Amino acid sequence: MKKIPFVTEQQVREIVKTCPTPFHLYDEKGIRENARAVKEAFAWNPGFREYFAVKATPNPFLLNILKEYDMGCDCSSYTELMLAKSCGFDGEHIMFSSNDTPAEEFAYAHELGAIINLDDFTHIDFLEETIGCIPETISCRYNPGGVFELSNGIMDNPGDSKYGMTKDQLMEAYRILKDRGAKRFGLHAFLASNTVTNEYYPKLAKQLFELVVEIREVTGCEIGFVNLSGGVGIPYRPDQEPNDIRVVGEGVRRAFEEVLVPKGMQDVAIYAEMGRFMMGPYGCLVTKAIHEKHIYKEYIGVDACAANLMRPAVYGAYHHITVLGKEDAPCDHIYDVTGSLCENCDKFAVDRSLPKIDMGDYLVIHDTGAHGFSMGYNYNGRLRSAELLLKEDGSVRMIRRAETPEDYFATFDCFADMKITR
């Protein structure tokens, strides 16, 4: 399968007249089509809602697109809660899923009326001491331990994860929460990351549905919603088969009808917290080739670096690269594509087969729409790039300007009298 950029060389050359590279670019048309597909895939469940994982792409322009499809926000920090509020999301549309949570964050989530998803058993007392009560709607996060397997092998290792409660803790948590005034309960679990298989959500759903039945029998708590969280991945490599969200939704429906409907629990709502699947393929990092180096290997230096996209440097993650204008040229050169950080891991590609790259060529680094810009940082004094939105009508809107040196120095409040000049 060939990865085709959603932006052309001609469009990029027009964009750089007013916004130089590097920049992250998002595809409004793709985002909207995907949002509709997700809604349709789970339309069989009247209570379904996607709570977009804000951590993946925290930009209000993009959040407001999803808001048009009645989607919510999954927040994990005070500032993400502030962002959701500023975009007009009400408490019903905000899920607060955090861990090692400071008191002020629980208090603010409660003030907004957000659904609080407790990560740990000890957080019950901590929450009650912080806000003076237990909210009527509350969720608990489950960790079954061990490994999570599908037919195509081990997907992840929940036993090594810091998130969630054991089953015994979970049962006791629901008893306590019910005794302390909670009336509507949710169950949440995240057992695998970036799964490129239609099996993951259905298998997870069946396990959680069976657990929901047991929770009701053991504790008397009625579970109002099951949150399947994230984990539905995207095909970063061109030879990977993408998930079909409609097949995924149908698989969850079959598990729902097999487990919950016979128990009279057909009113349970299905929630999701997909970030990567919602935005990943609909963003790219556009960068320009500015140097070439010929030593023991062939290097192409670009004007982006790991500060713009850290996944390849930190995780060794694969991101496909297209050289604009050379989409059909033979990939007969082997390059390491590098950035300018003083770190040898600052490489977007290692030993990658690409067309011959000339200085001034524009490269599209695919699938950066989630956990791309948001994981940026300022090491080496590098500044975060702009974010742009390619509108459905072909126009381009800046949705976050690039940082300036003044932004970088702005937090040196204790040196207010210090003058830093260019």
Side-chain angles (χ1 to χ4, degrees):
M1 184 180 298
K2 187 175 182 180
K3 277 189 173 288
I4 301 174
F6 57 78
V7 64
T8 66
E9 180 189 19
Q10 182 180 356
Q11 286 174 307
V12 166
R13 292 197 179 278
E14 190 64 32
I15 292 169
V16 298
K17 291 178 181 178
T18 55
C19 183
T21 54
F23 52 80
H24 283 270
L25 181 67
Y26 304 95
D27 176 22
E28 181 183 16
K29 182 174 183 289
I31 293 169
R32 289 186 179 279
E33 288 176 351
N34 192 47
R36 287 192 289 268
V38 169
K39 291 276 288 184
E40 291 167 8
F42 290 91
W44 55 267
N45 183 263
F48 172 77
R49 177 167 291 132
E50 155 68 11
Y51 288 84
F52 175 68
V54 174
K55 65 179 74 65
T57 324
N59 189 295
F61 291 89
L62 304 180
L63 295 180
N64 280 324
I65 291 175
L66 298 182
K67 187 181 175 188
E68 294 181 31
Y69 299 89
D70 193 40
M71 295 185 175
C73 293
D74 171 56
C75 301
S76 58
S77 69
Y78 199 104
T79 46
E80 288 182 356
L81 288 167
M82 290 176 64
L83 180 57
K85 179 189 176 186
S86 72
C87 291
F89 290 93
D90 60 23
E92 182 185 347
H93 287 77
I94 301 174
M95 183 76 61
F96 185 55
S97 298
S98 61
N99 67 97
D100 196 17
T101 309
E104 60 269 21
E105 297 192 358
F106 272 142
Y108 188 48
H110 180 62
E111 178 186 329
L112 297 182
I115 301 170
I116 293 175
N117 185 29
L118 294 177
D119 179 67
D120 186 62
F121 182 79
T122 63
H123 290 181
I124 298 172
D125 289 343
F126 186 77
L127 175 65
E128 189 170 32
E129 291 166 5
T130 297
I131 66 175
C133 66
I134 293 295
E136 288 193 0
T137 297
I138 194 89
S139 180
C140 291
R141 190 168 187 171
Y142 172 55
N143 183 334
V147 297
F148 187 81
E149 294 185 71
L150 293 175
S151 62
N152 51 357
I154 293 174
M155 304 304 295
D156 221 321
N157 188 353
D160 283 342
S161 170
K162 69 175 182 176
Y163 306 112
M165 307 181 200
T166 68
K167 185 175 179 180
D168 288 343
Q169 289 173 336
L170 191 74
M171 294 297 183
E172 185 63 17
Y174 284 121
R175 290 191 188 96
I176 293 171
L177 291 167
K178 183 181 179 183
D179 289 343
R180 298 186 187 180
K183 293 181 171 58
R184 182 170 180 257
F185 304 90
L187 176 65
H188 172 288
F190 175 81
L191 302 189
S193 179
N194 192 38
T195 61
V196 189
T197 168
N198 295 327
E199 294 181 60
Y200 171 59
Y201 253 16
K203 181 167 183 178
L204 170 64
K206 185 175 181 182
Q207 289 188 13
L208 296 184
F209 295 160
E210 290 170 347
L211 182 57
V212 162
V213 172
E214 186 176 354
I215 289 168
R216 184 178 69 170
E217 293 172 350
V218 172
T219 70
C221 293
E222 293 285 350
I223 302 297
F225 61 87
V226 172
N227 190 335
L228 301 177
S229 188
V232 179
I234 62 174
Y236 286 100
R237 296 178 180 272
D239 58 350
Q240 289 179 298
E241 190 70 28
N243 288 320
D244 185 330
I245 197 62
R246 291 178 175 83
V247 173
V248 172
E250 175 62 16
V252 175
R253 184 193 65 78
R254 287 196 299 268
F256 188 93
E257 294 189 352
E258 176 186 343
V259 179
L260 293 183
V261 171
K263 297 292 184 179
M265 302 175 71
Q266 59 271 7
D267 293 333
V268 173
I270 304 300
Y271 294 165
E273 292 172 0
M274 294 180 286
R276 196 186 316 262
F277 183 82
M278 297 303 302
M279 286 286 178
Y282 313 109
C284 65
L285 176 60
V286 182
T287 183
K288 183 168 71 172
I290 58 174
H291 288 290
E292 55 186 330
K293 185 171 185 175
H294 316 284
I295 49 172
Y296 307 106
K297 302 179 75 172
E298 295 294 302
Y299 294 95
I300 294 294
V302 296
D303 59 3
C305 65
N308 305 109
L309 176 65
M310 71 184 292
R311 295 186 73 253
V314 174
Y315 304 128
Y318 181 96
H319 280 264
H320 199 65
I321 295 176
T322 295
V323 183
L324 291 177
K326 299 180 178 179
E327 290 87 348
D328 297 322
C331 295
D332 53 5
H333 285 64
I334 306 296
Y335 296 115
D336 281 14
V337 179
T338 72
S340 59
L341 291 189
C342 296
E343 295 289 341
N344 195 47
C345 64
D346 182 19
K347 298 179 179 181
F348 294 111
V350 176
D351 296 330
R352 186 74 62 87
S353 297
L354 292 165
K356 182 181 184 300
I357 297 176
D358 298 302
M359 296 305 91
D361 280 349
Y362 290 102
L363 281 62
V364 164
I365 302 178
H366 291 253
D367 301 316
T368 70
H371 311 290
F373 179 94
S374 65
M375 295 177 73
Y377 52 100
N378 288 127
Y379 180 59
N380 273 181
R382 294 299 172 189
L383 304 175
R384 293 178 180 87
S385 66
E387 290 182 292
L388 309 176
L389 180 64
L390 179 61
K391 304 278 287 181
E392 287 187 293
D393 63 6
S395 64
V396 175
R397 177 174 184 176
M398 182 177 291
I399 58 175
R400 190 195 303 262
R401 67 165 174 81
E403 286 183 338
T404 66
E406 289 73 23
D407 296 319
Y408 180 80
F409 294 120
T411 53
F412 289 119
D413 293 339
C414 54
F415 298 108
D417 297 329
M418 183 175 64
K419 301 298 182 183
I420 300 176
T421 59
R422 294 177 184 267

